[in-house]
Amino acid sequence: MNHILKDCLYYGASRFGELPFVRARLEARAVIILFHEIQLDCRSELMSGASASLFEYSLNWLQQEGWSIVSLDECLERLAANDRSRRYAVLTFDDGYRDNVSVALPVMERHNAPFMIYVPTGAPTRSMQTWWLGLRKLFLSADTVTIDAIGRQFHCSDLRSKVSALEEVTRWIHQDYRRAASLAPTFKQNGISLSALNNAYFLDDRELRILARHPLASIGGHTTSHAALTTLDESSARAELLDNRNYLQDLLQSPIRHVAYPYGAYGPREEHLAGEVGFQTAVTTWQARLYDRKANYFALPRIGARSRSGFRTRMSGIIEAVQAMG
């Protein structure tokens, strides 16, 4: 869908969702919000993350609308106690990007906003196969890009065409995450090192230890390699969860009790495995808010948005209501 049209639809839905009688019907108790990169210059990163201005807008909006920004632990405790005195918002970040500290942390400090960062082992060890960073680098570095794995050549000399091409290949990967491995020859032919990109974009062990001591910060697991767990056999999926938890606990010398499923890929098996290896909660990419204390702690929904109107629409609950009617 065209981004302009989507923004227009989000804006209309957000305005409808802000009507008092609609808000009363769709009122939620809590929300967990998902971010990845928080970018100072989104154009230079092909619009692939949230802008610093959108991030600050989101925190301002939450507090203006009466949402208390709390840690995940406090949020779940409040829900379990059936505390209806406030509405609670939790900030979460996936993957451990360096800009979560350099760009987002000062904003959260100004708001005294706790946050959770879910870190895969492969980010600080620089071993993660970050195909999404490789693709972005590829489209940034050339105006003609050939992706042999899908038999396509993209001619993209401006921002719009580069963003469109990146999104098309990304959608192809999301249809089957095992396809990501087929991009390795293309990266090699174009001199793209995923390890070097990991080093440029992700926190290292030292930085992660420093962050973990911050009074607002919590660290969660995100598997060892950032693999889609549903594509793995049970033994491999369990190892991805357990080894990542052990790595982070050894590194930070503190319990790691929360995990995020990479790509939001999960099912009953993954829920069981997360609890079996010692996690107490697991978050997904299912776009919804929390309504009562009976939430499934191993399939907690999160919302994310790429624009101000999109964020307000997701927060209004109007999309959830429409989907429920469908």
Side-chain angles (χ1 to χ4, degrees), residues 48-261:
S48 53
S51 69
S53 62
L54 173 61
F55 181 68
E56 181 135 33
Y57 169 85
S58 301
L59 269 61
N60 285 332
W61 186 92
L62 286 168
Q63 294 189 325
Q64 289 167 5
E65 293 294 314
W67 292 85
S68 294
I69 302 176
V70 299
S71 68
L72 178 60
D73 285 316
E74 181 175 349
C75 175
L76 297 178
E77 287 171 5
R78 298 277 189 173
L79 284 178
N82 202 27
D83 180 352
R84 297 180 176 272
S85 62
R86 300 292 300 274
R87 296 181 296 171
Y88 303 99
V90 179
L91 306 178
T92 68
F93 302 81
D94 283 8
D95 303 338
Y97 288 97
R98 191 167 275 135
D99 62 22
N100 296 168
V101 173
S102 62
V103 180
L105 181 55
V107 178
M108 293 185 288
E109 288 175 332
R110 289 198 296 273
H111 288 267
N112 194 34
F115 61 95
M116 171 77 72
I117 293 187
Y118 295 104
V119 181
T121 304
T125 64
R126 308 316 194 212
S127 60
M128 191 157 64
Q129 296 303 296
T130 44
W131 55 267
W132 58 94
L133 296 182
L135 283 176
R136 186 167 70 191
K137 177 72 171 178
L138 184 61
F139 285 110
L140 280 168
S141 62
D143 291 342
T144 300
V145 173
T146 301
I147 307 290
D148 292 327
I150 59 177
R152 285 289 309 277
Q153 186 174 74
F154 297 89
H155 300 283
C156 41
S157 57
D158 58 19
L159 176 64
R160 170 179 271 185
S161 59
K162 288 179 183 294
V163 169
S164 177
L166 175 60
E167 290 178 344
E168 180 177 336
V169 182
T170 300
R171 284 194 298 271
W172 179 76
I173 295 292
H174 283 310
Q175 291 168 7
D176 183 350
Y177 294 108
R178 289 166 291 195
R179 292 173 171 175
S182 66
L183 297 174
T186 298
F187 294 150
K188 185 175 181 180
Q189 291 164 12
N190 288 273
I192 293 174
S193 165
L194 298 187
S195 179
L197 289 171
N198 292 343
N199 193 53
Y201 282 94
F202 294 115
L203 298 166
D204 60 26
D205 281 353
R206 181 188 65 84
E207 293 166 324
L208 194 54
R209 283 194 295 266
I210 293 171
L211 177 63
R213 294 195 291 269
H214 194 287
L216 294 175
S218 298
I219 307 298
H222 202 31
T223 75
T224 295
S225 69
H226 200 277
L229 296 177
T230 52
T231 67
L232 305 178
D233 62 58
E234 184 170 324
S235 176
S236 299
R238 181 185 292 106
E240 283 277 342
L241 291 161
L242 179 60
D243 293 350
N244 173 235
R245 184 168 185 261
N246 289 340
Y247 170 82
L248 291 172
Q249 291 187 149
D250 289 344
L251 176 68
L252 305 177
Q253 293 298 296
S254 63
I256 300 297
R257 297 178 290 106
H258 309 287
V259 68
Y261 301 116

Side-chain angles (χ1 to χ4, degrees), residues 19-31:
L19 294 173
F21 77 93
V22 177
R23 290 181 62 174
R25 291 290 299 273
L26 303 178
E27 195 78 1
R29 299 277 308 286
V31 63

Side-chain angles (χ1 to χ4, degrees), residues 14 53-54 57 305-313:
S14 71
S53 62
L54 173 61
Y57 169 85
R306 299 278 292 275
S307 67
R308 295 184 179 192
S309 58
F311 175 72
R312 293 197 309 271
T313 301

